[in-house]
Amino acid sequence: MGQISDSVWSHPELDAAVARADWGAVFRAYRKFTGLSQTRLGERVGLAQSDVSDIERGRRRVTSVEVRSRIVAGLGVPVVGVPEQAGPDRAGPGGAPPRAARLPVAGLALPGTEPDEDLADRLTGTIVSVPGQRGVDAATLDWLDRLLAEHRRAEDTIGSRPLVGIMRRQLHTVTGLYERTRGPLTGRVVRLAAEHAQFLAWMAQDQGDTTTALSWYGRSHEWALEAGDADMAATTLSMKAHGAWSRGEGPKCVRLAQAARWSAPGASPGVRGMAAQMEARGHAMAGEAGAAHRLLDEAQELIVRAAGRPEEEPAWMYFYDETWFTLQRGMASMQLRQWRTAVDQLTTGLTALPATYRRDRAWYRACLAHALAGAGEAAQSLATALATVPDADGVGRPHAWQELHTTASLLLRRGAAEGRELVAALAERG
């Protein structure tokens, strides 16, 4: 058998086993998905067939760091999925992990995110395998839904960097529930894992880490398909289109946005509106004004429909309303070098955008500074840019920060003295 595709690691069962450091379950699931025999798997990780059998049956535990490293390397286990200390290797008397060894439920000190004592006990109780222990219940998943929603809103204000580690641990908590879920709740756990992976992808994209973002988007998309979640499947493609747009890849942006639209016709109006406006921005990047405006009009109609039935939109679309769409129109106008229109649309959108969206206000204000420079209003461009510098530095790197540098370059090319002043202000912060 040839090299096994890395895609095997996208399955929740394997992800859950790795998160628990349950190497017997890892071996069993890996062989099930790849068709490897115990002998062939042993060759990959430097173990005899009898050792592989003992590990799978629970007769032997992997306690050696050296053996663990061989397993990770030999099977290509994604490093982000391997906990440093977890699972059976640290079990207490009788093989049952002590309460302190249960996987943590990570969260921020935000109102409404901490479960009550009973719910916390049920949540931690579902993650470890203890005889007689009850399985996953709807209340546990309801709370994880609420916690994810709180983290999404926190990211609007504090940016993505403080949340990455927290969300990775939280995803491991979710995937740890997979093997203990039965019946209708199984699909819900997979859907929740897809949402966490999409959020991790967005945060990687926000930090300019394209490789990691694409990896997480791929995992999110696969889980969304498994869960039958058309909204998340389409959203992952739209967000990949956004990543292509941010890298200046207009044609790729268009193709991915089109895929988001035709591959998930059952998606909500808001999700389809997001895909339409992403396709429009790809056309705008190529200077195709007619196609861009036609798609923006179509997107606006869908978003107005979504606003009339917000309860039918997925939770992660909480931010996407007519204010946001006005800002998206401003982005397209800026790409088309319709500077004055872009200034008006960005100004209107920013006026209505809540202050809690600190990261996004930094981005759109940086774009407004760019549009003002393009419109020949150098003094206003500089004033807007200088007011944006602290937030662009604090929560807007690399995108808002790069947009301010683009603005400075445009001012300098046009011979405006304000360009040198902006360059100096940016240089002060490095």
Side-chain angles (χ1 to χ4, degrees), residues 93-146:
R99 186 175 181 84
R102 290 173 175 173
L103 292 180
V105 180
L108 294 178
L110 299 172
T113 61
E114 294 190 5
D116 57 48
E117 184 176 350
D118 177 64
L119 179 55
D121 184 66
R122 289 206 307 276
L123 179 61
T124 55
T126 60
I127 299 171
V128 294
S129 181
V130 177
Q133 184 178 285
R134 59 180 168 270
V136 180
D137 58 23
T140 297
L141 301 182
D142 288 343
W143 181 78
L144 286 168
D145 274 330
R146 292 196 298 273

Side-chain angles (χ1 to χ4, degrees), residues 234-317:
T235 296
T236 57
L237 292 172
S238 287
M239 297 308 295
K240 287 178 72 174
H242 181 275
W245 176 88
S246 68
R247 297 189 299 274
E249 300 172 357
K252 187 173 184 178
C253 173
V254 169
R255 291 194 299 272
L256 285 166
Q258 288 173 339
R261 301 178 73 198
W262 60 252
S263 66
S268 74
V271 170
R272 285 183 283 132
M274 175 188 284
Q277 67 85 17
M278 277 311 316
E279 185 180 349
R281 284 166 61 182
H283 284 295
M285 179 171 282
E288 299 165 352
H293 288 304
R294 175 180 56 79
L295 285 159
L296 287 169
D297 289 342
E298 181 181 339
Q300 184 164 14
E301 180 181 344
L302 287 164
I303 291 163
V304 169
R305 284 174 54 191
R309 303 291 291 272
E311 70 280 1
E312 296 181 3
E313 293 297 314
W316 61 88
M317 293 293 290

Side-chain angles (χ1 to χ4, degrees), residues 3 44-45 66-77 79:
Q3 182 67 36
R44 288 173 179 257
V45 300
E66 189 267 336
V67 172
R68 176 179 174 276
S69 298
R70 291 208 311 266
I71 293 171
V72 170
L75 301 185
V77 180
V79 175

Side-chain angles (χ1 to χ4, degrees), residues 340 343 347 365 368-373 375-388 407 411 418 422:
R340 176 45 57 191
V343 168
T347 300
R365 286 175 73 186
L368 176 58
H370 184 175
L372 285 164
E377 299 183 17
Q380 283 185 265
S381 173
L382 176 63
T384 301
L386 292 178
T388 306
T407 300
L411 290 169
E418 287 83 356
L422 180 53

